[in-house]
Amino acid sequence: MQYYFAPMEGVTGAAFRSVHHRWFGGVDKYFTPFLTPTEQPRFTPRQLREIAPANNEGLPVVPQLLTRRAADFIWAANALAALGYHEVNLNLGCPSGTVVSKGKGAGFLADPDGLDRFLDTVFSAVSVPVSIKTRLGVRDPAEFGRLLEIYNRYPVSELTIHPRVQKDLYRGAPRRECFAAALARSANPVCYNGDLVTRADCLAAQAAYPAVSALMIGRGLIADPALARRVKGGPGADIATLRAFHDNLYGRYCTLFGSRHNAMLRMKEVWSYLLFLFDGSEKLGKRLKKAADPREYELQADAIFRSLPLRADAAYGWYRPA
Ligand SMILES: Cc1cc2nc3c(=O)[nH]c(=O)nc-3n(C[C@H](O)[C@H](O)[C@H](O)COP(=O)(O)O)c2cc1C
């Protein structure tokens, strides 16, 4: 089974990916957070930093694009192919209001005819395999019947399904029965994504869906950066490696942002998941999140590494009853 690191805007940028790969690995593909191509057929300097081969060396990376304009997708996908990428992913899952109101991400799912025309144009013009990351629909999972018929008409290299609708955001349990039905009817390879946190979750998903080509994990892999490696039979995380990972990432952010304060803010995002791997992290976690300056932040991170034991699995319970 292949394991993918889900794209997570604000967390899984180039620095995070390379530091994760260095200290933990176990991931078969890393998807970039979405890039939005515009009518100007060139990437911005910020986008270029994200996708520059030099910043992704030795990593299996799949760039993700967010747009509803076929022409913009085509120039960007072909430019990415020219940079050496072997796959480009289309985001049809982002549920955020600002994206959806422009008819992009999960918002595009409200317009199946437009999506069909978009895919028809894209697949006749791109020079690189295109995969799709989708939700089940906007309001009702029954919308997926029509959407899957459309996807089945195109050579989608892999269809990642996050079995929620846009209105669910990330609430409630993933709609597993809808996923199973879609898996049975997809003409293209399918990847499952949603709420895999523990090794047992991953093994259960492998057993439940032997036909999937891959499992994609987002929050669970930030909460336990060794999760993919561990599921494949490798070692779990230990404090020394987590600390090395932390210090490496914090150092990279300090250089990248030219500001320890901004690096601290970015690290707090990582900790909002990683804290769940530490037993009894409530008190120190609260202090770390409250830290107003980098010196204080560093002291609190150090206290966590020195005093809290690791759990066997991250206790990240976004959908489980408390
Ligand atoms: C903070 C955050 C940022 C995200 N950014 C993206 C993104 O850029 N592109 C995308 O397709 N999905 C994005 N997602 C969705 C994740 O890729 C993933 O589908 C979702 O978190 C469910 O998987 P998980 O339960 O394994 O985390 C984001 C989710 C979160 C919470």
Side-chain angles (χ1 to χ4, degrees), residues 6-9 33-34 64 91 133 162 170 193-195 218-219:
M8 304 252 315
E9 233 284 299
F34 65 76
Q64 184 188 64
N91 179 324
K133 182 163 179 280
H162 177 63
Y170 295 103
N193 166 242
D195 296 41
R219 295 166 295 181

Side-chain angles (χ1 to χ4, degrees), residues 4-12 31-35 64-66 89-95 133-135 160-164 169-170 174 192-197 216-222 269 273 316 318-319:
Y4 300 161
F5 212 132
M8 304 252 315
E9 233 284 299
V11 186
T12 64
F31 287 72
T32 72
F34 65 76
L35 308 164
Q64 184 188 64
L65 299 176
L66 176 83
N89 185 259
L90 169 65
N91 179 324
L92 294 176
C94 182
K133 182 163 179 280
T134 186
R135 288 189 177 233
T160 294
I161 303 174
H162 177 63
R164 287 188 171 101
L169 302 175
Y170 295 103
Y192 173 83
N193 166 242
D195 296 41
L196 302 177
V197 184
M216 175 186 277
I217 311 176
R219 295 166 295 181
L221 250 173
I222 308 173
E269 283 293 313
Y273 303 95
Y316 198 15
W318 43 78
Y319 70 96

Side-chain angles (χ1 to χ4, degrees), residues 188-204:
N188 295 304
V190 171
C191 166
Y192 173 83
N193 166 242
D195 296 41
L196 302 177
V197 184
T198 66
R199 185 167 185 272
D201 290 342
C202 298
L203 296 179

Side-chain angles (χ1 to χ4, degrees), residues 23-296:
W23 294 101
F24 295 103
V27 168
D28 297 289
K29 288 180 188 174
Y30 291 85
F31 287 72
T32 72
F34 65 76
L35 308 164
T36 304
T38 63
E39 288 176 43
Q40 296 297 320
R42 71 186 78 90
F43 292 114
T44 63
R46 191 162 167 261
Q47 291 173 330
L48 276 174
R49 272 200 302 279
E50 180 62 26
I51 53 174
N55 294 340
N56 292 283
E57 228 169 278
L59 264 76
V61 172
V62 178
Q64 184 188 64
L65 299 176
L66 176 83
T67 179
R68 58 171 292 119
R69 277 180 36 94
D72 299 350
F73 188 95
I74 290 164
W75 77 252
N78 288 339
L80 289 163
L83 283 173
Y85 288 100
H86 302 299
E87 175 185 340
V88 174
N89 185 259
L90 169 65
N91 179 324
L92 294 176
C94 182
S96 99
T98 45
V99 167
V100 168
S101 65
K102 293 180 196 132
K104 295 194 266 191
F108 208 168
L109 304 178
D111 176 19
D113 291 332
L115 180 60
D116 196 5
R117 285 193 298 274
F118 172 96
L119 294 176
D120 190 48
T121 311
V122 160
F123 277 98
S124 57
V126 289
S127 57
V128 61
V130 174
S131 58
I132 290 176
K133 182 163 179 280
T134 186
R135 288 189 177 233
L136 296 172
V138 178
R139 294 175 181 282
D140 185 340
E143 293 165 38
F144 202 62
R146 172 87 200 282
L147 295 166
L148 187 58
E149 262 172 40
I150 294 171
Y151 298 146
N152 280 347
R153 285 206 291 276
Y154 299 97
V156 178
S157 66
E158 190 163 47
L159 182 67
T160 294
I161 303 174
H162 177 63
R164 287 188 171 101
V165 294
Q166 183 264 326
K167 297 288 178 203
D168 291 335
L169 302 175
Y170 295 103
R171 290 189 292 259
R175 298 164 189 266
R176 296 283 193 118
E177 64 300 336
C178 300
F179 176 80
L183 176 61
R185 291 178 32 240
S186 176
N188 295 304
V190 171
C191 166
Y192 173 83
N193 166 242
D195 296 41
L196 302 177
V197 184
T198 66
R199 185 167 185 272
D201 290 342
C202 298
L203 296 179
Q206 281 185 204
Y209 314 123
V212 300
S213 45
L215 297 175
M216 175 186 277
I217 311 176
R219 295 166 295 181
L221 250 173
I222 308 173
D224 176 3
L227 179 60
R229 182 177 79 182
R230 204 151 62 83
V231 174
K232 293 176 172 177
D238 58 75
I239 295 279
T241 312
L242 282 166
R243 193 190 268 270
F245 165 76
H246 170 279
D247 293 353
N248 193 176
L249 188 59
Y250 184 46
R252 290 280 296 267
Y253 286 158
C254 287
T255 309
L256 193 64
F257 304 139
S259 146
R260 274 164 80 214
H261 186 84
N262 290 349
M264 169 186 79
L265 296 181
R266 187 60 77 99
M267 290 307 294
K268 286 186 184 182
E269 283 293 313
V270 175
W271 278 108
S272 69
Y273 303 95
L274 188 59
L275 276 171
F276 290 90
L277 192 58
F278 291 83
D279 212 20
S281 60
E282 293 77 9
K283 204 168 97 199
L284 289 178
K286 210 176 269 175
R287 283 196 201 149
L288 178 133
K289 286 178 189 164
K290 270 198 183 152
D293 65 79
R295 180 78 198 116
E296 176 64 16

